[in-house]
Amino acid sequence: MRIWHQSVTELDALPQYAASLSRRFADVASQGTEVVLHGVPSGTYGSSSPAQALAYPTERHRIADLVLRQVEQAEREGFDAVMIASFAEPALREARAALDIPVTSMTESALFAACSVASQVGIVTIGLAGVSMLQEGVARHQLNSRVAAVVGLEPTLTEFDLQNAFKKPDVVRASFERACRTAIDAGADVIIPGEGVLNELAVHLGIQEVDSVGVLDAIAVTVLHTEMLVQAYRKAGLRTGRRWGYPRVPADVRRALDTPRALPAT
């Protein structure tokens, strides 16, 4: 099984994160499963960070177009599934409408797994912009009643701050645990680190629980969920819903869209 991992970070700008992901996939994925890392091209965010850029709807739309073009390549190259490894979920609906192979997202996979073990979920992300984006995601998946709180780290960090924290993690550990306790006080019985680099840092630090509340490994869960969906497609008749949620463009409509409109005679 081959899974196309699609990050919205410039992985070459985050080498510690990319190396951590490679090690984790080797540990987590089942025997015979290959998870192939893909990021967005260098320079996608200029001197900004993904977290800063994705706070804005216009930038999310730009990145979604880029991600869709990349993941369409996965099916052409014979991959068995696509894993959109971003809590922003860029182009998730469009990718499912475009591809026949399963497409998962870190937000959806982590939320579904968390809801399987707790009645109330807490999500910790890296700042206020992430809080708003994740609240939108929770609403999109119609899970508002299952999420007790979405909490941002204080002070707000970027992916580059977290990358540096792989070498000096103590300050981030304290901030992360404070945010977890805020979510726990609101009723959360499981915590999702709601940002990819933050999740890897929590795993790197060995944080599996805070005050007896489990901290879910969102990246590992998404890999395992993706593997399960591939098997369900192969063996259980599971298919993407084409009638309402993720309709594909019919062949006749595609032909019409690709045919230039004739200009009226003058």
Side-chain angles (χ1 to χ4, degrees), residues 5 7-18 21 37-40:
H5 162 277
S7 174
V8 299
T9 63
E10 300 169 30
L11 289 175
D12 55 351
L14 297 167
Q16 295 262 16
Y17 176 48
L21 285 175
L37 272 69
H38 297 85
V40 295

Side-chain angles (χ1 to χ4, degrees), residues 1 20 37 44 105 141 157 213 217 240 248 253:
M1 182 187 305
S20 180
L37 272 69
T44 295
S105 86
H141 293 295
L157 300 176
V213 170
D217 180 347
T240 303
R248 298 200 74 159
V253 175

Side-chain angles (χ1 to χ4, degrees), residues 31-157:
Q31 186 175 4
T33 295
E34 179 187 15
V35 183
V36 183
L37 272 69
H38 297 85
V40 295
S42 298
T44 295
Y45 297 103
S47 60
S48 182
S49 75
Q52 291 166 330
L54 292 169
Y56 301 100
T58 51
E59 284 304 292
R60 288 209 293 272
H61 181 76
R62 180 176 71 89
I63 299 304
D65 282 346
L66 181 61
V67 165
L68 181 60
R69 290 197 298 272
Q70 288 190 250
V71 299
E72 285 178 324
Q73 186 68 23
E75 195 161 70
R76 291 193 290 268
E77 293 185 11
F79 279 80
D80 297 290
V82 166
M83 184 175 91
I84 297 180
S86 168
F87 281 90
E89 300 186 306
L92 175 60
R93 187 182 185 202
E94 292 81 358
R96 284 181 176 160
L99 304 181
D100 284 325
I101 58 178
V103 180
T104 60
S105 86
M106 205 146 58
T107 303
E108 189 177 62
S109 296
L111 283 169
F112 287 176
C115 286
S116 299
V117 297
S119 61
Q120 290 289 291
V121 179
I123 307 175
V124 173
T125 188
I126 60 178
L128 289 177
V131 169
S132 176
M133 183 184 72
L134 279 163
Q135 287 172 336
E136 291 176 15
V138 170
R140 189 163 54 248
H141 293 295
Q142 302 181 43
L143 289 171
N144 299 74
S145 66
R146 300 297 298 277
V147 175
V150 182
V151 183
L153 297 183
E154 293 182 4
T156 291
L157 300 176

Side-chain angles (χ1 to χ4, degrees), residues 248-262:
R248 298 200 74 159
V249 179
D252 59 333
V253 175
R254 171 52 58 200
R255 285 194 297 272
L257 289 169
D258 291 341
T259 302
R261 187 183 300 276

